[in-house]
Amino acid sequence: MLAYVARRLLATIPIMAMVAVFVFLLLHMSPGDPAVIIAGDFATPAQIEEIREQLGLNDPLHVQFGNWLVNLMQGDLGQSIYSGLPVSRLILQRVEPTLMLTLCTLLISISVAIPLGVLAAWRVGTWVDRAVMTVAVIGFSVPTFVLGYALILGGSVWLGWFPVQGYTSIFTSFGGFLRHITLPALALGLVYMALIARMTRATMLEVLNEDYVRTAFAKGLSPRKVLVKHALKNAMVPISTTIGLGVALLIGGVVVTETVFAIPGLGRLTVDAVLRTDYPVIQGVILVFSFTYVLLNLLVDLSYVLFDPRIRY
């Protein structure tokens, strides 16, 4: 097991290297000049050129990439072109809202989607099954920002139960944290919930047709025990795989959700950095997101042993 984990962690190095090269080239080949944005609308060409020289933007691409890579190997993500602050400090300042939003979304989505998928498979062909699948189709169809504004209109403007925007740290006020995080987690989690529910239903339908499940029912076991202990446990491997792969949806949805609800997290930081053409910040945030995605999928792979003891690494 330890050898497998070590190999997987070592395998992340070339993956992160390819991500770094791709992001660096993509950003530097895209239109936009950070020196122009920093200098302002009334700057002279000489002032813009001076700023470009100070930022090292006049150096060849391979020189810029080499300097950035050397600093990265030393744990230095660089400094923000716009604010001059270290990128690592900016990320640490914004990581809590994004982390809490992601964890709450995962908790809500998994705790709701798996029971709904099991119920739909157990009552396949009935109105319950059709209702669950209708909700899943809506979840895939409605964009996150549309759902976010609809939740703000209903839960904040009409009912007044939740704040319209903003974020309260869980360490400051737990009640305030719940009130601020509920609507964003629901908006972000609907697509993820629909994905997990559909996969759970499809996998459970396959498992419920197995001989050992029919044998369990023939022995007189209760439907709840058969569904949870026998069927669901054997169906969790593909479900957990879907949960891991679906994290990519969360990473993309975080940017939109934090913008809609004005949450000061990594998503907002990314949007602001893109608008300002702040290369170091964009690169740092994407590297953090990429490493998080790889690490979560490693944890999903390791969780297979819990559901199927026959799996060995």
Side-chain angles (χ1 to χ4, degrees):
M1 175 71 75
L2 293 178
Y4 173 79
V5 175
R7 288 196 303 269
R8 286 295 301 269
L9 290 177
L10 289 175
T12 63
I13 296 177
I15 295 175
M16 299 304 298
M18 288 188 291
V19 170
V21 172
F22 176 77
V23 172
F24 184 87
L25 293 178
L26 181 64
L27 291 177
H28 283 74
M29 293 174 63
S30 60
D33 190 345
V36 175
I37 299 176
I38 295 174
D41 297 333
F42 303 101
T44 63
Q47 293 173 328
I48 295 176
E49 186 64 23
E50 182 180 357
I51 293 175
R52 287 184 57 84
E53 188 67 31
Q54 292 175 353
L55 297 176
L57 297 177
N58 288 331
D59 296 333
L61 281 180
H62 67 276
V63 175
Q64 296 184 47
F65 179 73
N67 294 333
W68 177 71
L69 190 60
V70 170
N71 294 330
L72 182 63
M73 297 297 292
Q74 299 174 354
D76 183 9
L77 295 176
Q79 289 186 335
S80 168
I81 294 177
Y82 184 80
S83 65
L85 296 175
V87 175
S88 56
R89 182 190 300 180
L90 293 175
I91 292 176
L92 288 176
Q93 290 174 350
R94 302 290 191 97
V95 72
E96 185 206 334
T98 300
L99 179 61
M100 291 295 104
L101 175 59
T102 303
L103 291 178
C104 291
T105 302
L106 285 171
L107 179 62
I108 294 174
S109 301
I110 295 174
S111 61
V112 173
I114 292 181
L116 285 179
V118 172
L119 181 61
W122 175 240
R123 299 297 184 184
V124 61
T126 65
W127 69 269
V128 176
D129 181 27
R130 289 191 290 271
V132 172
M133 289 300 98
T134 300
V135 173
V137 170
I138 294 175
F140 276 116
S141 304
V142 180
T144 302
F145 71 92
V146 173
L147 180 62
Y149 286 123
L151 290 174
I152 290 175
L153 180 63
S156 301
V157 178
W158 290 349
L159 299 177
W161 292 349
F162 303 98
V164 175
Q165 294 178 326
Y167 174 79
T168 298
S169 173
I170 191 173
F171 304 106
T172 302
S173 172
F174 185 71
F177 166 77
L178 290 179
R179 294 181 68 245
H180 279 91
I181 208 68
T182 299
L183 293 186
L186 289 175
L188 180 58
L190 184 60
V191 176
Y192 197 52
M193 194 184 306
L195 176 66
I196 299 174
R198 288 172 65 93
M199 176 56 69
T200 302
R201 176 185 179 274
T203 309
M204 285 292 295
L205 284 176
E206 182 178 350
V207 172
L208 289 175
N209 290 323
E210 296 290 339
D211 292 337
Y212 66 87
V213 174
R214 288 193 290 266
T215 302
F217 279 119
K219 290 169 61 178
L221 297 180
S222 64
R224 179 180 178 181
K225 190 171 184 178
V226 174
L227 289 174
V228 176
K229 185 177 180 180
H230 295 274
L232 181 59
K233 185 176 181 180
N234 286 278
M236 278 305 297
V237 170
I239 294 174
S240 58
T241 302
T242 303
I243 293 174
L245 295 176
V247 172
L249 290 175
L250 292 184
I251 293 176
V254 159
V255 177
V256 178
T257 305
E258 289 185 355
T259 302
V260 171
F261 290 91
I263 298 176
L266 294 179
R268 282 287 302 278
L269 180 63
T270 304
V271 173
D272 294 340
V274 170
L275 294 177
R276 297 165 179 168
T277 324
D278 200 339
Y279 297 146
V281 175
I282 300 173
Q283 292 164 348
V285 173
I286 292 179
L287 286 176
V288 170
F289 279 147
S290 301
F291 182 75
T292 302
Y293 180 73
V294 172
L295 183 61
L296 286 177
N297 277 277
L298 172 60
L299 295 177
V300 169
D301 288 348
L302 296 178
S303 70
Y304 293 163
V305 179
L306 299 177
F307 306 122
D308 192 345
R310 297 172 297 178
I311 296 177
R312 291 291 182 268
Y313 295 105

